[in-house]
Amino acid sequence: MVIKNVALETVCGITSKLPEHDKIEVAFAGKSNVGKSSLINALMNRKALARTSSQPGKTQTINFYNINDAMYLVDLPGYGYAKVSQSEKEKWGKLIEKYLQHSQMLKAVFLLIDIRHEPSANDKMMYDWIIYNGYEPIIIATKLDKIKRSQVQKQIKLIKTGLGMSGDGVVMPFSAETKQGREEIWELIDSWLQDIEI
Protein backbone atom coordinates (compact mmCIF):
# COMPACT_ATOMS: atom_id res chain seq x y z
CA MET A 1 0.00 0.00 0.00
CA VAL A 2 1.20 3.49 -0.83
CA ILE A 3 0.36 5.56 2.23
CA LYS A 4 -0.89 8.98 1.21
CA ASN A 5 -2.49 10.08 4.45
CA VAL A 6 -2.73 8.81 8.00
CA ALA A 7 -4.72 10.34 10.82
CA LEU A 8 -5.26 9.35 14.43
CA GLU A 9 -9.03 9.61 14.16
CA THR A 10 -10.43 8.18 17.40
CA VAL A 11 -9.02 7.50 20.86
CA CYS A 12 -11.17 5.29 23.09
CA GLY A 13 -10.68 5.07 26.83
CA ILE A 14 -12.40 2.88 29.41
CA THR A 15 -15.71 4.75 29.28
CA SER A 16 -15.70 5.69 25.57
CA LYS A 17 -18.20 4.37 23.07
CA LEU A 18 -16.42 2.41 20.35
CA PRO A 19 -16.69 3.92 16.87
CA GLU A 20 -18.68 2.15 14.16
CA HIS A 21 -16.79 1.99 10.87
CA ASP A 22 -17.66 0.89 7.36
CA LYS A 23 -14.02 0.08 6.51
CA ILE A 24 -11.94 -2.90 7.60
CA GLU A 25 -10.01 -2.75 10.85
CA VAL A 26 -6.74 -4.53 11.60
CA ALA A 27 -5.76 -4.63 15.27
CA PHE A 28 -2.33 -4.87 16.91
CA ALA A 29 -1.85 -6.29 20.40
CA GLY A 30 1.32 -6.89 22.39
CA LYS A 31 3.17 -6.64 25.64
CA SER A 32 4.08 -3.12 26.78
CA ASN A 33 7.73 -3.21 25.69
CA VAL A 34 7.47 -5.40 22.58
CA GLY A 35 7.88 -2.55 20.08
CA LYS A 36 4.26 -2.00 19.04
CA SER A 37 4.56 1.76 18.55
CA SER A 38 7.77 1.28 16.55
CA LEU A 39 6.02 -1.29 14.34
CA ILE A 40 3.04 1.01 13.72
CA ASN A 41 5.33 3.94 12.88
CA ALA A 42 7.32 1.70 10.49
CA LEU A 43 4.16 0.41 8.79
CA MET A 44 2.91 3.95 8.27
CA ASN A 45 6.30 5.44 7.28
CA ARG A 46 6.05 7.96 10.07
CA LYS A 47 8.64 8.68 12.72
CA ALA A 48 6.42 9.49 15.66
CA LEU A 49 2.77 8.95 14.85
CA ALA A 50 2.43 6.30 17.55
CA ARG A 51 4.32 7.49 20.60
CA THR A 52 7.27 5.30 21.47
CA SER A 53 8.47 5.54 25.01
CA SER A 54 11.23 4.29 27.26
CA GLN A 55 8.43 3.99 29.79
CA PRO A 56 6.35 0.93 28.80
CA GLY A 57 2.59 0.93 29.24
CA LYS A 58 2.11 4.20 27.37
CA THR A 59 -0.84 3.06 25.25
CA GLN A 60 -3.74 2.98 27.69
CA THR A 61 -6.42 3.60 25.10
CA ILE A 62 -7.55 2.00 21.85
CA ASN A 63 -6.25 4.23 19.06
CA PHE A 64 -7.86 4.15 15.60
CA TYR A 65 -5.64 5.32 12.73
CA ASN A 66 -7.41 6.07 9.45
CA ILE A 67 -5.15 5.08 6.54
CA ASN A 68 -5.90 6.54 3.09
CA ASP A 69 -9.58 6.59 4.06
CA ALA A 70 -9.48 2.90 3.07
CA MET A 71 -8.97 1.07 6.38
CA TYR A 72 -8.25 1.46 10.10
CA LEU A 73 -5.17 0.33 11.93
CA VAL A 74 -6.15 -0.23 15.56
CA ASP A 75 -3.58 0.02 18.36
CA LEU A 76 -4.72 -1.91 21.46
CA PRO A 77 -3.41 -1.14 24.99
CA GLY A 78 -0.15 -2.89 25.89
CA TYR A 79 -0.42 -5.59 28.55
CA GLY A 80 1.81 -7.11 31.20
CA TYR A 81 3.25 -3.88 32.54
CA ALA A 82 4.14 -4.43 36.19
CA LYS A 83 3.76 -0.87 37.48
CA VAL A 84 0.06 -0.64 36.64
CA SER A 85 -2.42 -1.54 39.38
CA GLN A 86 -4.45 -4.74 39.08
CA SER A 87 -7.72 -2.81 38.84
CA GLU A 88 -6.28 -0.72 35.99
CA LYS A 89 -5.16 -3.88 34.16
CA GLU A 90 -8.64 -5.32 34.52
CA LYS A 91 -10.15 -2.16 33.04
CA TRP A 92 -7.83 -2.37 30.02
CA GLY A 93 -8.74 -6.05 29.66
CA LYS A 94 -12.44 -5.19 29.59
CA LEU A 95 -11.76 -2.44 27.06
CA ILE A 96 -9.93 -4.84 24.70
CA GLU A 97 -12.58 -7.51 25.20
CA LYS A 98 -15.36 -5.04 24.39
CA TYR A 99 -13.58 -4.14 21.17
CA LEU A 100 -12.90 -7.76 20.09
CA GLN A 101 -16.49 -8.75 20.74
CA HIS A 102 -18.26 -5.74 19.26
CA SER A 103 -16.26 -4.51 16.27
CA GLN A 104 -18.19 -5.35 13.11
CA MET A 105 -15.27 -4.61 10.79
CA LEU A 106 -12.31 -6.26 12.57
CA LYS A 107 -10.57 -8.41 9.98
CA ALA A 108 -7.57 -9.71 11.90
CA VAL A 109 -5.56 -9.37 15.09
CA PHE A 110 -1.77 -9.23 14.95
CA LEU A 111 -0.09 -10.30 18.19
CA LEU A 112 3.47 -9.04 18.71
CA ILE A 113 5.99 -11.30 20.44
CA ASP A 114 9.68 -10.48 21.06
CA ILE A 115 11.59 -12.96 18.85
CA ARG A 116 14.44 -13.15 21.40
CA HIS A 117 12.36 -14.75 24.14
CA GLU A 118 9.97 -17.58 24.74
CA PRO A 119 6.39 -16.23 24.96
CA SER A 120 5.51 -15.13 28.51
CA ALA A 121 2.45 -16.30 30.46
CA ASN A 122 0.80 -12.98 29.52
CA ASP A 123 1.55 -13.58 25.83
CA LYS A 124 0.01 -17.06 26.01
CA MET A 125 -3.03 -15.71 27.84
CA MET A 126 -3.51 -12.99 25.22
CA TYR A 127 -3.10 -15.51 22.39
CA ASP A 128 -5.72 -17.83 23.90
CA TRP A 129 -8.01 -14.91 24.62
CA ILE A 130 -7.91 -13.67 21.02
CA ILE A 131 -8.78 -17.19 19.83
CA TYR A 132 -11.58 -17.39 22.41
CA ASN A 133 -13.01 -14.19 20.90
CA GLY A 134 -13.11 -15.77 17.44
CA TYR A 135 -9.87 -14.64 15.78
CA GLU A 136 -6.76 -16.58 14.74
CA PRO A 137 -3.90 -14.27 15.77
CA ILE A 138 -1.16 -13.59 13.24
CA ILE A 139 2.12 -13.42 15.14
CA ILE A 140 4.63 -10.68 14.41
CA ALA A 141 8.02 -11.64 15.89
CA THR A 142 9.56 -8.24 16.65
CA LYS A 143 13.19 -7.14 17.23
CA LEU A 144 14.47 -9.38 14.43
CA ASP A 145 17.64 -7.27 14.12
CA LYS A 146 18.62 -8.24 17.69
CA ILE A 147 19.33 -11.90 16.83
CA LYS A 148 21.62 -13.66 14.34
CA ARG A 149 20.07 -14.83 11.11
CA SER A 150 21.01 -18.42 11.98
CA GLN A 151 18.80 -18.24 15.09
CA VAL A 152 15.60 -17.05 13.37
CA GLN A 153 13.99 -20.44 12.61
CA LYS A 154 14.84 -21.78 16.08
CA GLN A 155 13.21 -18.73 17.73
CA ILE A 156 10.11 -18.95 15.50
CA LYS A 157 9.73 -22.58 16.55
CA LEU A 158 10.09 -21.53 20.19
CA ILE A 159 7.27 -18.98 19.74
CA LYS A 160 4.98 -21.49 17.99
CA THR A 161 5.58 -24.11 20.69
CA GLY A 162 5.26 -21.60 23.54
CA LEU A 163 1.90 -20.34 22.29
CA GLY A 164 0.63 -23.80 21.33
CA MET A 165 0.04 -22.69 17.73
CA SER A 166 -1.43 -24.96 15.09
CA GLY A 167 0.88 -26.13 12.30
CA ASP A 168 -0.48 -23.58 9.84
CA GLY A 169 -0.25 -20.65 12.27
CA VAL A 170 1.56 -17.63 10.80
CA VAL A 171 4.67 -16.05 12.37
CA MET A 172 6.11 -13.01 10.54
CA PRO A 173 9.60 -11.87 11.65
CA PHE A 174 9.91 -8.08 11.77
CA SER A 175 12.48 -5.40 12.55
CA ALA A 176 11.53 -1.75 13.11
CA GLU A 177 15.22 -0.88 12.63
CA THR A 178 15.69 -2.41 9.17
CA LYS A 179 11.98 -2.50 8.17
CA GLN A 180 12.41 -6.19 7.31
CA GLY A 181 8.96 -7.82 7.30
CA ARG A 182 7.12 -4.56 6.58
CA GLU A 183 6.27 -5.47 2.98
CA GLU A 184 5.01 -8.94 3.99
CA ILE A 185 2.64 -7.44 6.56
CA TRP A 186 1.29 -4.95 4.00
CA GLU A 187 0.88 -7.67 1.36
CA LEU A 188 -1.36 -9.56 3.76
CA ILE A 189 -3.43 -6.46 4.60
CA ASP A 190 -3.65 -5.47 0.91
CA SER A 191 -5.01 -8.94 0.05
CA TRP A 192 -7.89 -8.37 2.49
CA LEU A 193 -8.62 -4.97 1.00
CA GLN A 194 -8.72 -6.49 -2.49
CA ASP A 195 -11.14 -9.19 -1.30
CA ILE A 196 -13.53 -6.43 -0.25
CA GLU A 197 -13.20 -4.60 -3.57
CA ILE A 198 -14.01 -7.80 -5.46
Side-chain angles (χ1 to χ4, degrees), residues 2 7 20 42-43 46 51 72 81 86 94 99 105 108 113 122 136 140-141 146 148 161 167 175-176 179 193:
V2 178
E20 290 179 14
L43 284 177
R46 300 292 190 276
R51 285 197 303 272
Y72 287 91
Y81 184 50
Q86 191 56 38
K94 287 194 172 74
Y99 172 67
M105 297 304 290
I113 307 281
N122 278 326
E136 180 73 37
I140 297 179
K146 302 278 196 286
K148 295 192 179 91
T161 307
S175 163
K179 307 289 189 291
L193 288 166

Side-chain angles (χ1 to χ4, degrees), residues 49-117:
L49 193 65
R51 285 197 303 272
T52 57
S53 171
S54 56
Q55 177 195 354
K58 196 91 175 142
T59 309
Q60 301 178 11
T61 50
I62 299 181
N63 298 336
F64 292 83
Y65 294 93
N66 183 331
I67 300 179
N68 292 353
D69 223 14
M71 62 165 287
Y72 287 91
L73 192 153
V74 183
D75 183 10
L76 300 174
Y79 58 84
Y81 184 50
K83 287 188 184 169
V84 175
S85 71
Q86 191 56 38
S87 64
E88 198 68 17
K89 285 179 190 169
E90 282 167 13
K91 283 181 193 165
W92 293 356
K94 287 194 172 74
L95 181 63
I96 297 171
E97 188 168 43
K98 184 167 85 167
Y99 172 67
L100 292 177
Q101 290 178 351
H102 293 101
S103 170
Q104 300 296 309
M105 297 304 290
L106 180 58
K107 181 70 187 171
V109 182
F110 288 94
L111 177 59
L112 280 63
I113 307 281
D114 188 329
I115 198 166
R116 298 172 298 177
H117 309 298

Side-chain angles (χ1 to χ4, degrees), residues 20 39 68 114 124 128 168 186:
E20 290 179 14
L39 166 79
N68 292 353
D114 188 329
K124 173 75 173 130
D128 291 342
D168 53 0
W186 270 122

Side-chain angles (χ1 to χ4, degrees), residues 112-177:
L112 280 63
I113 307 281
D114 188 329
I115 198 166
R116 298 172 298 177
H117 309 298
E118 191 175 350
S120 66
N122 278 326
D123 290 329
K124 173 75 173 130
M125 200 158 65
M126 191 69 186
Y127 178 81
D128 291 342
W129 198 39
I130 293 166
I131 288 177
Y132 175 77
N133 280 288
Y135 297 91
E136 180 73 37
I138 297 155
I139 306 303
I140 297 179
T142 61
K143 306 186 193 264
L144 177 62
D145 51 286
K146 302 278 196 286
I147 63 169
K148 295 192 179 91
R149 190 176 289 183
S150 59
Q151 294 176 296
V152 173
Q153 289 311 315
K154 176 172 149 276
Q155 294 305 110
I156 287 175
K157 192 173 178 204
L158 191 71
I159 288 171
K160 283 189 163 185
T161 307
L163 294 175
M165 292 176 74
S166 62
D168 53 0
V170 178
V171 177
M172 307 176 87
F174 175 80
S175 163
E177 290 293 317

